[in-house]
Amino acid sequence: MKDLSAVIAALIGFLVCWGLGYIVIPYLKKLNFGQTILDIGPNWHKEKQGTPTMGGIMMIPAVLLAVCIAFGYSAIIGGKFSMELKTMEKLTQLLAGVIMALCMSGIGFMDDYVKVVKKRNLGLTALQKTFMQLLVSALYLLTLFLCGMKTTNIPFIGDIDITSGFGLLFWPIALMFIYGFTNAVNLTDGIDGLASTVTLVVSCAFMLAAGILYNLTFSVLSAALAGACVGFVCWNAKPAKVFMGDTGSMFLGGMVVALSFGIGRPILLIFAGCTYFLEALSDIIQVAYYKKTKKRIFKMAPLHHHFEMCGWSEEKIVFVFSLIAFAGCIIAMLPILFRF
């Protein structure tokens, strides 16, 4: 019997996340966990004041339950997914990736908690977040190394030994890579439906990539994430009934990083995650240029706010940015499709 674990994971991920909206959103409203809109943002965002935040927590049980149910199904039929997880390497990679994403989400939760409950709009300090994120990233990389990660694949070059010589540079670069992309996804979460829709596109690309590479474990995880993103978009599309908060965006950041490492090609996230990259780059450029000249290159950073200030609707921004993500995913897929 053909193993349909990925299809089941996507369906369960969607249903659970969508269904939880009927429970979690009213509860967040009851707790008065409303978003505080900062004065530095576009004026029209003030109408979103009080919209429940931290709703990204709905995606976590959706992904976890989807993977567990898919595993149970695969085990019953004797499918490939359950067989893969019997190997220590695949099981460790899966657990390490999910735990890393959960820890990133935990950092985001603390940030949201400080903002919403303690009424400190800026949340945790940059130093606090950076220390915790780098620690989680380092422990994740250490786990991958201990479970047998000895090479990484670079298109047109092939597998590179990362245990000696220049290959050792992979580890500090990977540390900053994880830190950077996790925060880049967080920056992308600034308008209704943007981060969840872009991540839907990226997770679908990794689902396809993992399938081509015969890596059903991460194909299932990608599918579960894609399904959860669709379920969340049902509540987060404009006008958003709930925001994901740092709790959700940091989880998504950790997950897309885990998917890229899980298929052994983290470098492809630079292309698949080009929308995240551009958002982060615009923020870095804006801050650096302003510090030097006291002038701004963009009307507002990150990039999606610049286009808002130019008169683009939120729906148009989501569509165009998702289209850019789709184009980046196609580029990322080429080395896998043509075995570069």
Side-chain angles (χ1 to χ4, degrees), residues 13 40 111 115 187 242 315 337:
I40 59 174
D111 196 39
K115 291 175 185 175
L187 287 171
V242 69
E315 294 91 339
L337 289 170

Side-chain angles (χ1 to χ4, degrees), residues 37-48 300 309:
I37 305 299
L38 300 179
D39 292 331
I40 59 174
N43 292 332
W44 52 89
H45 279 205
K46 283 294 183 180
E47 66 188 33
K48 302 181 182 184
M300 188 175 177
M309 302 295 280

Side-chain angles (χ1 to χ4, degrees), residues 89 93 140-154 158-171 261 264-266:
E89 181 179 359
Q93 287 177 343
Y140 172 63
L141 290 173
L142 177 61
T143 303
L144 293 182
F145 175 76
L146 293 176
C147 82
M149 183 176 177
K150 308 298 182 186
T151 64
T152 189
N153 185 274
I154 298 179
D159 290 338
I160 304 297
D161 182 8
I162 56 177
T163 62
S164 62
F166 286 109
L168 291 173
L169 291 173
F170 168 82
W171 300 104
F261 277 87
R265 288 164 169 78

Side-chain angles (χ1 to χ4, degrees), residues 12 30 50 71 83 116 157 196 211 264 283:
I12 297 298
K30 184 178 179 181
F71 173 76
M83 295 295 183
V116 176
I157 297 176
S196 46
D283 203 53

Side-chain angles (χ1 to χ4, degrees), residues 40-283:
I40 59 174
N43 292 332
W44 52 89
H45 279 205
K46 283 294 183 180
E47 66 188 33
K48 302 181 182 184
Q49 183 86 16
T51 300
T53 188
M54 300 169 70
I57 200 168
M58 298 187 299
M59 292 185 284
I60 297 174
V63 170
L64 297 179
L65 190 59
V67 172
C68 290
I69 291 177
F71 173 76
Y73 156 79
S74 184
I76 291 172
I77 68 167
K80 183 182 176 182
F81 178 44
S82 61
M83 295 295 183
E84 281 188 358
L85 288 187
K86 289 181 180 179
T87 64
M88 185 57 67
E89 181 179 359
K90 276 288 190 292
L91 179 60
T92 304
Q93 287 177 343
L94 177 66
L95 291 177
V98 171
I99 292 172
M100 181 268 290
L102 290 174
C103 289
M104 291 296 186
S105 179
I107 296 169
F109 177 83
M110 286 188 282
D111 196 39
D112 284 334
Y113 185 84
V114 171
K115 291 175 185 175
V116 176
V117 179
K118 298 297 183 181
K119 305 301 180 183
R120 281 171 43 193
N121 287 347
L122 297 180
L124 298 174
T125 66
L127 185 61
Q128 288 171 331
K129 285 188 285 189
T130 297
F131 173 77
M132 289 187 285
Q133 288 170 342
L134 289 176
L135 178 61
V136 170
S137 302
L139 291 174
Y140 172 63
L141 290 173
L142 177 61
T143 303
L144 293 182
F145 175 76
L146 293 176
C147 82
M149 183 176 177
K150 308 298 182 186
T151 64
T152 189
N153 185 274
I154 298 179
F156 301 104
I157 297 176
D159 290 338
I160 304 297
D161 182 8
I162 56 177
T163 62
S164 62
F166 286 109
L168 291 173
L169 291 173
F170 168 82
W171 300 104
I173 293 173
L175 182 68
M176 298 312 299
F177 179 91
I178 297 170
Y179 170 79
F181 265 102
T182 303
N183 283 288
V185 176
N186 186 29
L187 287 171
T188 306
D189 178 37
I191 60 176
D192 297 354
L194 181 58
S196 46
T197 304
V198 170
T199 303
L200 168 62
V201 174
V202 174
S203 56
C204 285
F206 277 113
M207 178 177 63
L208 180 59
I212 294 172
L213 294 169
Y214 302 104
N215 187 336
L216 189 54
T217 296
F218 281 89
S219 183
V220 169
L221 186 60
S222 301
L225 180 62
C229 285
V230 175
F232 189 76
V233 168
C234 291
W235 299 105
N236 185 235
K238 185 176 176 64
K241 297 177 179 63
V242 69
F243 297 141
M244 68 172 63
D246 287 4
T247 304
S249 61
M250 297 286 281
F251 176 70
L252 293 183
M255 284 296 295
V256 295
V257 166
L259 296 178
S260 68
F261 277 87
I263 67 170
R265 288 164 169 78
I267 195 172
L268 297 185
L269 185 56
I270 295 174
F271 302 100
C274 62
T275 302
Y276 309 136
F277 181 79
L278 292 172
E279 291 270 42
L281 185 62
S282 68
D283 203 53

